[in-house]
Amino acid sequence: MLLKKSIAGSGRAIATAAIIAGIIVTATLVVGTYLAIQPTPEKLLPPVEDLAKNTYLDRYGRRLNVTYDNAWNTNDQVRFHEIPEFLRRAFIISEDKRFFCHAGVDWLARLNALRQNLLATDVVRGASTITEQVVRILHPRPRTIWSRWVEGFEAMALENRFSKVDILEFYLNQVPFKARRRGVVQAAHYYFNRDLSTLNQREMLALAVLVRAPKWFDPKQQPSRLNRAIDHLAQRLHNTALKPQAISRRELALSNVDLRHDVSHFIRYADSHREVFPHQHDAAGGTTINTTLDLELQMKVQDIIDSRLENLHSRGVKNGAVLVVDHESNEILSWAVGYAGQPGKAYNKIDAVSVRRQPGSALKPFLYADAFGRGWTAATLLDDEPLEESVGLGMHTYHNYNRGHYGLISVREALGNSLNIPAVRAIQFIGPSEFLTFLYNLGIKSLSAHPNVYGDGLSLGNGELTLFELVQAYTVLARMGDYKPLSFIDGEHFDNGSRRVLSEDIASLIADILSDPAAREKEFGWDSVLNLPYQTAVKTGTSSDYRDAWAMGFNDKYTVGVWIGNLDYSAMNRVTGASGPALSLRAIFNELNRNRDVRPLYFSDNLHKQRICVDTGLPADDNCESRDEWFIPGSPPQGMAAKPENIRIRKPGPGLRLAMDPRIPDELEYFEFALTDTPDLQNLQKVRWYLNNRLLATTRKPVYHWKLARGNFTARAEVYLRDHPQPVLTDNVQYTVN
């Protein structure tokens, strides 16, 4: 009896303990569930704090800063009635066929999924409703049994607050696809490059299938698997009230590339100039910026530069950039970086529009514009003969691109044919320091080193500047000498710093030379790629070792700059400005000139025409071959170029280091001392050369051949001219011979 009572008592204790344990487990489950449940949102909208703060629009109100890095789709949302009914129904049948019947959780589907998972001894089905998927989008969690439990309660709360239409609309706008695309609009563009309203029924079914497992049903990697799933979904739709049309079994016409635009480089530039933003706030609390960019033109320009880079890939070309400006309003229309947004392309995240590179000959128009302001004319003759100058610690021999020489040549042909030696003579006339000041007034601030760093090589573009700065400078020529900062905000023109840099006459004369096919015939030929259908001023540039190739141009309305090269500073395979970016320049101007009346370039009424002798540059007579040339008032034909007044020793250069050649007997080694061109070589009487303050020699010419000797030396000269009562004294030049 006692044993029975003891057993009974033990049973009651166990039952009691079990009840208590059950209560504890239940309480823990209830409390844990209560604490885990996230509050239901007031509105079915993406959280504002997770979105980009500034919204950038193009000049026609189209969104520019489309990014797929956000956790939400904020750019391509559509209202419920804008989504095709067939697509809505396909998603419901595919994802949640009892969507309009349950209250957030489809218990029947859950039980069926549990049965299938137990039979398969694996998770083969989830049975999440569309509402539960919306909860998962709003509150991402690890995929566990516990998260599925909590999501069920949140789904019921969501259905209690929002209508089925609101939930389905949110789902179709935010459901994730491949490549961080969200929503059916972005998916339609990514897979088919089409608007949602233009999809056929098979393409809509494909979207409904792809959302289940974008990688598993990848249309490029697994087309047969996707097609079987589409056919199965189509069969299921046959059993509904919404009958599909006869669906073709043809393969889906997939987009090879996602043609959505990438203007992230332009937006980063705009973000760095926030101080000029107008105070116009959007619904997300950020600022809406109406920019000057033309999105349609931007996409065309992007395609042009990308295609050109593809064509030049075999010649070692990887990067490029284009900047297009309407110089009438000074607004930036296109800011394109080669391969922008394309995966696997080298250095395409670097903004090549803002990177400093060597411009080569693209600076020469400004060099001659500066010379025109100092008295030269387009008929001024320059000596295109071999030239050796001291550069740094050594001597440098200047060459033209083709290694040939033309002798005396006019400024018009020297600029048109982009000859190097005449350009060096031009900067010797102007002076590197003075030319740097001129470039600074054109908006080129990158050339900030001391003039001695660049020396005469500045005439050939040995400094580094940006495509942005170079285009800015060319707009000054295009706008007849007026400098105005480039604008990127629609309706906001930056007048701060606006000024006149050149006279209309000089700007007009430079434009006339750059648009003259005859002026560049010697080097580029009559059928040059630079000869555009409408009058266009064009200049190319190529840096040393083919690291940079440029093509710059402007017509009556637009200024365009194209750079091609490698951002890792590796050399291209002999790609020049004419053979590389010039074709892109032509294609871009063809787009710009489409459907508009192109006017000739502005030509100043002040310029006057005069007949000159080709060989002398002086007014023509009956005894010479002659041609017409345009002249600025007050700048009559003068023949040979006026020489610099500042006489200096050209060779040796300051700090020059020479070495005796052991293969040559010492008594046969000589080095040439030379002066820069004097104001008038015909007026030279004599030159007295001094070495270490001792008279070395007296010559009747501006050169002297000095017998080499080892040591440290200081050279200077006294130059006697017939029209100067006192000798001109040069600065001391120190050099070393080892």
Side-chain angles (χ1 to χ4, degrees), residues 191-203:
Y191 289 110
F192 307 112
N193 190 32
R194 304 254 298 286
D195 291 331
L196 197 63
S197 60
T198 66
L199 299 183
N200 60 43
Q201 289 192 345
R202 189 168 188 83
E203 290 166 338

Side-chain angles (χ1 to χ4, degrees), residues 295-567:
L295 184 55
E296 183 177 356
L297 175 65
Q298 170 76 18
M299 296 175 72
K300 291 178 180 178
V301 170
Q302 185 72 60
D303 183 58
I304 289 170
I305 187 63
D306 289 351
S307 297
R308 190 66 187 132
L309 293 180
E310 285 294 324
N311 293 336
L312 294 172
H313 177 74
S314 61
R315 298 179 66 179
V317 179
K318 295 187 287 288
N319 303 112
V322 180
L323 189 63
V324 180
V325 172
D326 179 344
H327 57 248
E328 289 186 339
S329 61
N330 228 41
E331 295 176 340
I332 296 171
L333 302 180
S334 176
W335 183 303
V337 173
Y339 295 133
Q342 294 191 31
K345 297 297 184 179
Y347 307 107
N348 64 339
K349 293 185 179 180
I350 298 175
D351 183 9
V353 175
S354 302
V355 170
R356 297 181 182 184
R357 304 291 298 199
Q358 287 190 351
S361 297
L363 277 187
K364 289 176 182 173
F366 310 108
L367 180 68
Y368 290 108
D370 196 359
F372 286 166
R374 301 171 189 269
W376 281 15
T377 73
T380 297
L381 294 181
L382 298 171
D383 191 4
D384 181 30
E385 292 293 346
L387 180 64
E388 186 180 42
E389 295 279 351
S390 60
V391 175
L393 302 180
M395 301 300 297
H396 177 72
T397 301
Y398 289 99
H399 299 282
N400 292 322
Y401 176 75
N402 68 355
R403 299 288 173 143
H405 303 281
Y406 294 101
L408 292 179
I409 193 166
S410 68
V411 166
R412 175 177 288 273
E413 288 190 299
L415 174 56
N417 291 287
S418 196
L419 301 179
N420 290 338
I421 292 172
V424 174
R425 299 194 186 281
I427 202 169
Q428 289 177 349
F429 167 69
I430 297 168
S433 178
E434 290 76 7
F435 186 44
L436 276 175
T437 300
F438 181 73
L439 293 175
Y440 189 87
N441 290 332
L442 291 168
I444 297 175
K445 308 297 177 63
S446 294
L447 299 172
S448 56
H450 191 276
N452 290 346
V453 173
Y454 309 111
D456 294 345
L458 183 62
S459 63
L460 308 181
N462 66 350
E464 291 187 338
L465 47 77
T466 68
L467 176 61
F468 182 96
E469 291 174 313
L470 198 54
V471 170
Q472 170 79 82
Y474 271 82
T475 63
V476 176
L477 295 175
R479 207 172 31 256
M480 307 315 299
D482 283 337
Y483 169 87
K484 292 182 180 179
L486 299 183
S487 172
F488 66 91
I489 297 181
D490 191 28
E492 297 285 333
H493 299 134
F494 309 145
D495 294 328
N496 184 30
S498 299
R499 56 188 177 271
R500 176 161 288 279
V501 179
L502 287 171
S503 70
E504 287 189 5
D505 302 335
I506 292 176
S508 184
L509 187 54
I510 293 292
D512 180 68
I513 295 173
L514 295 180
S515 61
D516 180 7
R520 54 176 167 259
E521 183 269 335
K522 284 183 170 64
E523 289 288 304
F524 296 94
W526 282 106
D527 57 348
S528 169
V529 68
L530 306 182
N531 300 341
L532 273 65
Y534 300 98
Q535 188 184 15
T536 308
V538 179
K539 185 71 187 75
T540 60
T542 308
S543 69
S544 58
D545 297 326
Y546 301 99
R547 285 182 169 83
D548 306 275
W550 307 74
M552 313 296 297
F554 59 87
N555 62 9
D556 62 308
K557 183 175 178 61
Y558 301 107
T559 300
V560 180
V562 185
W563 169 83
I564 281 176
N566 294 318
L567 289 172

